[in-house]
Amino acid sequence: MLQKPKGTKDLLPQESYKWQLAEEKIKKVLESYNFKEIRVPVFEHTEVFQRGVGETTDVVQKEMYTFDDKGGRSITLRPEGTAGVVRAYLENGMGSMSTPVKLWYNMGMYRYENVQKGRLREFHQIGAELIGSESYLADVDIILMANNIFKTLNIPNIKLTINSIGCPKCRGKYQKVLKEFIGKNIDSYCDTCKTRFEKNPMRILDCKEKKCKELNVGAPMMIDYLCDECKEHFEKVKSTLKLCNINFEVDSSIVRGLDYYTKTVFEFIDEKSGLTVLGGGRYDGLVEEFGGKPTPAIGFATGVERLMEMYEEYNPNLEEKIPDLYILSLGEVQNKKAIEISEALRISEVIVEKDICERSFNAQMKYANKINAKNLLVIGETEIQTDIAKIKNMKTGEEKEVKLNPNSILEKLK
Ligand code: HAM
């Protein structure tokens, strides 16, 4: 039998309705902050991610689905949303819109990862990007909005961790000290870390190899080398979050896996599994890196698969939409009437099922029960002759008489 590729998932109807419920709730949160949806291509020129995410990241070095298309261009399936959104922001002149520009997305992402719990090769992210504010108030709004996603989904046991990884100004000094620390043992680090030593030593702190992790213990932390501006920014973020009664921990070991981050970074962690369910931060240099005017920005993305695991765990009784009405009909004239009525009701957003298999009366009754139809309408010869039928509430057994036309039926279904 044909099988799906490793690290991908089929989302079946018994689960997809739960995704829809969660997505709808999250959309409302994002819209309440006046974020607007953006959709960008599944694939971009590879350069977008090389320059955006960074040459020395795991994502770019190890995890991208990159191929040459038939025109010989190097193409990459998006491993994350931010780089493509910023590319689209610039290409479409969105900088001239009223600032800040606030965008959200819900898109599939592709990373060639070691498949394990919470780590897929095709996964989905719902993300938000706020482009054009350098204020700590933007950081706070973004974190509050992320927090509200967990609130609206009724998900407890989630820990917010934050850090500041500074700006290019303070990073120079820090990288020097870090290199001194790592340099002492550089021969014992993995080959990838060795290649990162000169180009981007901070990335070594993000290495997942056990021996590198051990060697990194006690490394100097960026947070201790922040310039005055970054320090003040971080203090304001923290004090305002406290004012808003948001619980958080400062975790100076958060470096994030993507190179574009500056200043505030944060992660929401599932306390049970230890997995990061949502991650984000500032990326004040990315718009300029892509050729735009210097434009500060901040955003986040949540991994929908990881989020859904928690949503389902803490909301076990999610209800699926069920048909409002089953129209049972037998015979050609009756079937035509069933078509006419069901079509009119469906336009009015009533969920209607009717026979499309030419089943017997009993088989149709069985089916109507199986799909949990709320109401039943039988159209037989008598109903056609009298133009009157009965709607039966399948739960209570109560029957109401109706005229055999869509408006009367609609009225009775309310
Ligand atoms: P990220 O931390 O790479 O950040 O990914 C965000 C979230 O996507 C993670 O916290 C995790 O929940 C989920 N995720 C990542 N990789 C996988 C995977 N292989 N399988 C399942 N879930 C995964 C970003 O992608 C940034 N673009 C977020 C951002 C937006 N920063 C600023 N704006």
Side-chain angles (χ1 to χ4, degrees), residues 150-191:
F150 296 99
K151 266 199 199 161
T152 193
L153 297 181
N154 187 32
I155 295 177
N157 300 331
I158 197 94
K159 186 168 80 180
L160 166 62
T161 54
I162 65 171
N163 191 22
S164 174
I165 55 168
C167 65
K169 247 198 297 174
C170 35
R171 226 173 261 171
K173 192 168 135 205
Y174 169 64
Q175 285 190 337
K176 236 187 187 167
V177 197
L178 184 63
K179 273 178 87 173
E180 271 168 30
F181 176 87
I182 293 171
K184 284 185 268 175
N185 294 313
I186 189 63
D187 292 342
S188 311
Y189 277 89
C190 73
D191 288 345

Side-chain angles (χ1 to χ4, degrees), residues 80 82 105 111 113 118-120 123 125 129 256 258 260-261 276-281 283 299-301 303 306:
E80 62 99 49
T82 312
Y105 49 84
R111 295 185 192 177
E113 297 236 35
R119 217 164 264 288
L120 293 157
F123 60 99
Q125 284 185 346
E129 312 293 354
R256 308 277 303 132
L258 314 161
Y260 46 63
Y261 288 114
T276 303
V277 185
L278 182 151
Y283 49 94
F300 67 75
R306 294 186 190 182

Side-chain angles (χ1 to χ4, degrees), residues 266 330 389:
F266 56 92
L330 278 175

